[in-house]
């Protein structure tokens, strides 16, 4: 148990919590490369690693001497809670002399684990100190060397460890005193020692701003490291390196569906795109559906364009279905939003449930035709100027993975040759006169997936323009002014977010879907064995129904649109892998490898890793 003397703040005190927050933020800014789960930073003195003549207070930041102080045998020291991580690159702490006591025999410095604490820092092997009574530096020896001025009550002494060149220098009241020690060993602890009665010092490990401008010193070394990297010789293979980098950039653009940019880049660099534009756009449309919360349509499109993909990926299938349930709660999935925005006369009926079994084939020939008078949803949304009701469960012959959509079944055998932009357009071309050109291929600029996060926006059919079977990008992201909180327009809801948009038929469909999802989970358990991840995923999704306000509950983070991004990435990677294309772009693999190398540098105590972080070169 840590010693908490007079003046210590209790853990629950707001002032203590604020100080902890400030400390955490400052340490993250100073030492961004440090992973404190692996290598915690020193934050206070250790109540266990000290000599008995040392007393601690002020949350183990204040040190006072409580021995006899007759001679050097009464010296006492204390080490910090943790050694200095190499990933700091440059580490700094300060000590304020509250009182020099009787003689001011104080030492500030570093020591390794196991060094005798009945001594001042610097007197023994692997111990280093700067002493206040004579201004000498002590390097693993009882004999000191002239170094700097003496220090006394009111002075602030800083100790900076450079883990790049393994040196140490001190500061006094914000002024550097020059290098004191070289060739330092790794894993040293901040250490302070006292010897005479009345000596009191306070440590600052980042709890307060430092007197010395350590960040400016760090900037100098960061510039040095970056300069070394920039000057690293590539050799005479410059042309080959350029070609490799250009191909990496091109494949990255293709992977994420930036079709127009990829085409322009390929033209400018005279490189080849490994995937044809139609296939890129098909993947892009599927990603847009997932990011917009229309997961049911994304499943249908995937099954049409990439037969057998979900059938052979039961884990991905289950993730998609769980997300679809979450989006039903959100009111954004097609199965509920087409009920939510239907005219009041048609709200009592809803399409039959598609089977969730992964065993159904992909080339389903029982899909509804998408004629102009078809009562089913175009892309899961029925324009409000149509008041025809859906048939009951018996009237629908849709099987998994089609989710109550009017998409025409693709007959092409090659996924890359199918243009999904033309597969869902029949309803929209007749119901929306201003989209007369919707059968034409959507321009590249409209198909680009933006980096911004998608909102839960599904707009009312009478005002949403549909192009090539999908909402135009900017309109799917922004609900109308009359839309309710979760982006679903419903004439019966005046304000506030409601389950499934506040529609009873949609809620009933969601509950039915939940039962089918539970059945799918049981089927997968029988076929593949129990899966703890699936169980938790299902429990978290179903737990949303236990709260009157799912958006503000312990599991409400599932409804955040940003949660769609990881699923979108997983589906995109699976599609690429099924087409014998890299499931991750080489550029991302290279960045991942570089990041791992930097982390490895930290583990082998190479201090320069702190200023060679990949993030520094990406921003």
């Amino acid at each position: 148990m840590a010693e908490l003397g007079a003046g210590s703040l209790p853990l629950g005190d707001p002032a203590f919590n604020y100080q902890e927050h400030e400390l955490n933020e400052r340490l993250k800014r100073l030492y961004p490369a440090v992973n404190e789960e692996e290598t915690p930073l020193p934050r206070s003195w250790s109540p266990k690693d000290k000599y008995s003549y040392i007393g601690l207070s002020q949350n183990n930041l204040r040190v006072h001497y409580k021995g006899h102080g007759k001679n050097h045998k009464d010296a006492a020291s204390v080490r910090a809670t943790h050694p200095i991580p190499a990933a700091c690159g440059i580490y700094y702490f300060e000590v304020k002399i509250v009182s020099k006591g009787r003689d001011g025999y104080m030492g500030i410095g570093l020591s390794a684990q196991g060094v005798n604490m009945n001594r001042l820092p610097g007197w023994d092997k692997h111990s280093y100190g700067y002493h206040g009574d004579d201004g000498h530096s002590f390097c693993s020896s009882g004999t000191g060397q002239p170094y700097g001025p003496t220090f006394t009550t009111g002075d602030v002494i800083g100790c900076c460890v450079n883990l790049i060149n393994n040196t140490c220098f001190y500061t006094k009241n914000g002024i550097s005193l020059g290098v004191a020690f070289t060739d330092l060993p790794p894993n040293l602890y901040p250490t302070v020692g006292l010897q005479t009665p009345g000596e009191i010092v306070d440590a600052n490990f980042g709890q307060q701003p430092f007197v010395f401008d350590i960040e400016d010193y760090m900037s100098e070394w960061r510039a040095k490291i970056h300069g070394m990297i920039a000057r690293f010789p590539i050799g005479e293979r410059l042309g080959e390196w350029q070609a490799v980098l250009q191909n990496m950039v091109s494949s990255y653009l293709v992977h994420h569906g930036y079709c127009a940019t990829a085409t322009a880049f390929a033209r400018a660099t005279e490189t080849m795109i490994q995937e044809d534009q139609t296939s890129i756009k098909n993947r892009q449309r599927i990603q847009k559906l997932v990011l917009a919360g229309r997961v049911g349509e994304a499943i249908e499109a995937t099954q049409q364009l990439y037969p057998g993909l979900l059938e052979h990926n039961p884990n991905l299938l289950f993730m998609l279905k769980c997300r679809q349930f979450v989006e039903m709660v959100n009111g954004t999935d097609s199965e509920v939003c087409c009920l939510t925005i239907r005219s009041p006369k048609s709200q009592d009926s809803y399409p039959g449930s598609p089977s969730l079994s992964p065993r159904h084939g992909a080339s389903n020939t029982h899909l509804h035709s998408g004629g102009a008078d078809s009562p089913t949803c175009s892309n899961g949304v029925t324009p409000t100027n149509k008041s025809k009701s859906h048939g009951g469960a018996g009237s629908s012959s849709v099987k998994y993975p089609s989710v109550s959509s009017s998409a025409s079944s693709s007959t092409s055998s090659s996924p890359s040759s199918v243009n999904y932009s033309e597969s869902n357009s029949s309803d929209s071309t007749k119901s929306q006169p201003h989209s007369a050109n919707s059968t034409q291929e959507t321009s590249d600029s409209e198909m680009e997936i933006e980096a911004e996060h998608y909102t839960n926006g599904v707009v009312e059919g009478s005002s949403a323009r549909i192009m090539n079977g999908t909402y135009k990008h900017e309109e799917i992201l922004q609900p109308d002014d009359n839309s309710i909180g979760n982006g679903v327009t419903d004439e019966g809801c005046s304000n506030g977010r409601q389950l499934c948009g506040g529609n009873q038929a949609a809620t009933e469909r969601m509950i039915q879907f939940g039962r089918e999802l539970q059945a799918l989970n049981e089927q997968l358990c029988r076929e593949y064995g129990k899966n703890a991840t699936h169980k938790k995923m299902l429990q978290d999704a179903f737990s949303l129904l236990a709260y009157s306000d799912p958006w503000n509950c312990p599991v409400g983070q599932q409804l955040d649109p940003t949660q769609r991004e990881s699923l979108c990435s997983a589906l995109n990677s699976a599609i690429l892998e099924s087409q014998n294309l890299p499931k991750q772009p080489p550029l991302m693999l290279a960045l991942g490898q570089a990041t791992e190398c930097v982390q490895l540098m930290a583990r082998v105590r190479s201090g320069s890793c702190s200023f060679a972080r990949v993030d520094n070169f990406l921003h």
Side-chain angles (χ1 to χ4, degrees):
M1 183 70 181
E3 290 185 19
L4 293 176
S8 299
L9 294 172
L11 296 181
D13 188 278
F16 176 83
N17 293 335
Y18 175 77
Q19 288 180 5
E20 279 295 296
H21 174 74
E22 288 290 298
L23 172 62
N24 290 334
E25 291 300 311
R26 189 170 287 109
L27 294 182
K28 286 179 183 177
R29 186 175 70 251
L30 291 172
Y31 316 115
V34 174
N35 178 1
E36 287 209 75
E37 292 183 1
E38 293 183 3
T39 54
L41 287 160
R43 291 168 176 255
S44 64
W45 301 115
S46 172
K48 298 179 180 180
D49 196 5
K50 68 181 182 65
Y51 193 62
S52 58
Y53 289 172
I54 290 291
L56 298 178
S57 60
Q58 303 287 352
N59 298 305
N60 295 331
L61 293 174
R62 171 162 290 186
V63 183
H64 65 272
Y65 182 78
K66 58 181 184 179
H68 303 293
K70 294 180 180 179
N71 54 47
H72 71 275
K73 294 182 179 179
D74 291 332
S77 293
V78 59
R79 268 187 287 267
T81 51
H82 300 285
I84 301 168
C88 290
I90 290 171
Y91 180 79
Y92 186 74
F93 72 98
E94 288 183 341
V95 174
K96 180 177 182 179
I97 313 305
V98 178
S99 172
K100 78 177 188 67
R102 190 184 72 195
D103 299 323
Y105 289 168
M106 300 170 290
I108 297 167
L110 310 160
S111 66
Q113 181 69 48
V115 172
N116 187 4
M117 289 285 93
N118 188 201
R119 307 272 284 171
L120 289 185
W123 285 353
D124 296 319
K125 186 178 181 181
H126 295 155
S127 179
Y128 309 85
Y130 169 36
H131 293 194
D133 61 306
D134 56 12
H136 287 187
S137 63
F138 291 76
C139 178
S140 303
S141 171
T143 303
Q145 301 294 324
Y147 171 66
T150 61
F151 51 86
T152 186
T153 302
D155 288 330
V156 175
I157 303 302
C159 179
C160 181
V161 182
N162 187 322
L163 296 121
I164 301 172
N165 61 10
N166 299 318
T167 62
C168 169
F169 71 87
Y170 289 88
T171 66
K172 180 180 177 182
N173 300 326
I175 305 299
S176 174
L177 302 178
V179 174
F181 309 113
T182 60
D183 301 319
L184 293 175
N187 295 325
L188 294 176
Y189 291 71
T191 307
V192 67
L194 309 176
Q195 189 176 314
T196 62
E199 295 172 352
I200 304 173
V201 298
D202 283 347
N204 178 11
F205 295 103
Q207 285 82 1
Q208 304 293 333
F210 293 119
V211 176
F212 177 70
D213 190 354
I214 188 61
E215 294 189 56
D216 184 62
Y217 179 73
M218 288 179 166
S219 296
E220 293 178 12
W221 273 91
R222 184 178 295 109
K224 289 181 182 180
I225 299 300
H226 288 191
M228 289 173 58
I229 294 173
R231 292 190 300 271
F232 186 82
I234 296 177
E236 297 180 358
R237 299 174 58 199
L238 178 60
E240 293 180 31
W241 280 103
Q242 286 179 327
V244 169
L245 290 174
Q246 288 168 356
N247 285 328
M248 290 172 72
V249 172
S250 176
S251 64
Y252 176 85
L253 296 172
V254 169
H255 177 92
H256 290 289
Y258 301 123
C259 190
T261 307
T263 302
F265 183 81
R267 191 162 41 242
T269 59
E270 298 181 352
T271 55
M272 295 289 294
I273 295 179
Q274 300 299 317
E275 186 181 5
D276 65 80
Q277 290 194 22
T278 302
S279 178
I280 298 172
K281 290 182 179 181
N282 287 337
R283 285 193 297 104
Q284 188 187 63
R285 287 180 175 85
I286 292 171
Q287 291 181 77
K288 289 180 71 175
L289 289 171
V290 173
L291 292 174
R294 293 154 59 180
V295 182
E297 294 173 76
I299 293 173
E300 175 190 2
T302 302
Q303 204 74 0
Q304 287 180 347
L305 297 167
Y306 306 98
L309 173 63
L310 297 180
E311 181 179 355
H312 295 100
N313 287 271
N315 289 333
L316 179 59
L317 166 71
F318 192 79
M319 287 169 60
L320 286 163
K321 284 299 175 182
C322 281
R323 186 68 213 179
Q324 185 177 2
F325 181 86
V326 171
E327 297 299 347
M328 285 182 172
V329 175
N330 239 344
T332 51
D333 189 74
S334 308
E335 288 222 31
V336 296
C337 72
C338 67
L339 299 172
T340 303
I341 65 174
R342 192 177 304 140
S343 63
K345 293 181 180 180
S346 63
Q347 286 185 356
D348 294 333
S349 61
Y350 50 89
S353 164
S355 168
L356 297 184
S357 170
R359 295 300 183 187
H360 284 286
S363 56
N364 190 347
T365 58
H366 300 288
L367 296 172
H368 287 296
S369 61
D373 297 327
S374 172
T376 54
C377 306
S378 174
N379 269 342
V381 180
T382 302
T384 55
N385 61 349
K386 293 186 179 182
S387 59
K388 294 184 181 181
S389 64
H390 286 270
S395 67
S396 174
S397 59
V398 181
K399 297 181 180 179
Y400 175 78
S402 307
V403 186
S404 307
S405 173
S406 60
S408 300
S409 176
S410 170
T411 58
S412 172
S413 60
S414 172
S416 63
S417 66
V418 180
N419 192 337
Y420 184 60
S421 65
E422 299 175 1
S423 65
N424 274 359
S425 59
S426 54
D427 267 3
S428 61
T429 54
K430 295 188 178 182
S431 62
Q432 307 294 336
H434 54 278
S435 300
N437 295 327
S438 62
T439 56
Q440 297 178 1
E441 187 173 297
T442 307
S443 68
D444 287 340
S445 61
E446 289 168 341
M447 297 317 301
E448 296 291 343
I449 298 178
E450 302 296 337
E452 60 189 344
H453 294 313
Y454 286 68
T455 60
N456 294 343
V458 178
V459 296
E460 189 171 356
S462 60
S463 61
R465 300 192 327 193
I466 302 175
M467 179 167 288
N468 290 337
T470 61
Y471 285 102
K472 285 193 68 177
H473 180 70
E474 65 275 10
E475 292 175 334
I476 193 173
L477 302 185
Q478 299 179 4
D480 289 343
D481 292 337
N482 296 326
S483 62
I484 63 175
N486 68 341
V488 180
T489 300
D490 182 49
E491 295 176 359
C493 299
S494 58
N495 55 17
R497 294 179 293 193
Q498 299 185 45
L499 197 70
C500 299
N503 180 274
Q504 182 178 356
T507 303
E508 291 174 358
R509 174 68 196 110
M510 176 197 64
I511 294 173
Q512 179 184 351
F513 186 92
R515 295 193 184 104
E516 295 162 356
L517 186 56
Q518 175 65 36
L520 173 61
N521 181 51
E522 294 171 357
Q523 176 186 335
L524 293 175
C525 284
R526 288 192 299 270
E527 295 183 8
Y528 301 100
K530 293 183 179 180
N531 188 311
T533 303
H534 287 184
K535 181 179 179 181
K536 186 179 187 309
M537 204 180 300
L538 199 63
Q539 286 177 342
D540 287 347
F542 288 171
S543 294
L544 291 168
L545 303 186
Y547 300 91
S548 58
D549 183 3
W551 291 268
N552 296 295
C553 73
V555 291
Q557 75 279 359
Q558 297 176 87
L559 297 168
D560 190 323
T562 59
Q563 298 296 315
R564 303 166 183 162
E565 295 171 6
S566 60
L567 180 61
C568 180
S569 177
L571 179 56
N572 187 48
S573 294
I575 292 173
L576 287 165
E577 193 172 24
S578 72
Q579 302 302 298
N580 295 318
L581 294 169
K583 65 178 182 179
Q584 281 190 303
L587 181 60
M588 296 307 297
L589 291 174
L591 289 174
Q593 185 180 34
T595 301
E596 185 63 29
C597 285
V598 171
Q599 293 173 353
L600 183 60
M601 289 170 66
R603 294 190 186 103
V604 299
R605 296 183 286 276
S606 175
S608 58
C609 68
S610 176
F611 303 129
R613 298 176 67 236
V614 175
D615 289 350
N616 292 337
F617 296 89
L618 296 181
H619 301 293

